[in-house]
Amino acid sequence: MRITTTVNGTEHEVDDVWPGESLLYVLRERMGLPGSKNACEQGECGSCTVYLDGEPVCACLVAAGQAQGREVRTVEGLADGDRLHPVQEAFVECGAVQCGFCTPGLLIAAHDLLARVPHPSDLEIREALAGNLCRCTGYEKILDAVRLAADRQARS
């Protein structure tokens, strides 16, 4: 089947998509967008989180055909050209990137949280990031990054 979807503001047509193919596979292997990571393939780790029509979803659990006619925003789509999004900048500055495998999902989760709750409490941050596993076990820097991004967002 052919799917047509808008990814990061650009319309894409992908041919020969088979019914069981995941959105994650299509994004990474067919569209050349490797930002979303393929880790557990069971929706447990959050590394593949993308926005689908503005809602964060695990791309590994979404059939590619479900993206037909819909809008997808990946971690690559958070940046404005060569300029990182303030959440991405905060992750880099705080050393929250670590090995980087969980980072795309955490960035989408943090971005989504700050869009909904501009001044989140630590509990709200922890709850928002709960679906994203970091195997480096360094969550404190990630929490610092979300706090920094929230502070900067409040000042701008």
Side-chain angles (χ1 to χ4, degrees):
M1 84 176 115
R2 169 183 282 178
I3 64 166
T4 303
T5 186
T6 301
V7 180
N8 300 329
T10 302
E11 187 172 296
H12 293 264
E13 285 187 356
V14 183
D15 290 322
D16 301 323
V17 174
W18 60 278
E21 206 165 303
S22 72
L23 175 59
L24 177 62
Y25 184 85
V26 169
L27 291 169
R28 289 181 53 83
E29 306 301 329
R30 293 176 176 256
M31 293 184 185
L33 295 167
S36 304
K37 301 302 181 215
N38 185 5
C40 72
E41 295 187 23
Q42 298 176 6
E44 296 290 329
C45 72
S47 295
C48 64
T49 304
V50 299
Y51 285 110
L52 182 62
D53 287 343
E55 293 293 324
V57 298
C58 289
C60 70
L61 297 180
V62 176
Q66 292 177 284
Q68 170 62 36
R70 299 174 77 182
E71 298 211 7
V72 177
R73 187 173 184 193
T74 69
V75 69
E76 290 97 337
L78 295 182
D80 183 14
D82 290 339
R83 186 170 176 206
L84 294 177
H85 185 277
V87 174
Q88 293 170 311
E89 289 177 350
F91 268 65
V92 172
E93 288 178 37
C94 291
V97 174
Q98 303 173 108
C99 84
F101 218 78
C102 66
T103 304
L106 285 163
L107 286 168
I108 296 288
H111 181 271
D112 179 62
L113 170 66
L114 297 178
R116 292 181 291 106
V117 184
H119 309 289
S121 66
D122 280 359
L123 178 60
E124 290 170 316
I125 295 171
R126 289 179 186 276
E127 286 177 352
L129 303 182
N132 298 81
L133 301 178
C134 173
R135 290 170 179 85
C136 298
T137 68
Y139 288 99
E140 196 56 44
K141 290 180 180 181
I142 294 166
L143 298 173
D144 289 345
V146 177
R147 290 183 199 113
L148 177 62
D151 287 346
R152 287 183 176 163
Q153 186 173 283
R155 284 187 263 139
S156 63

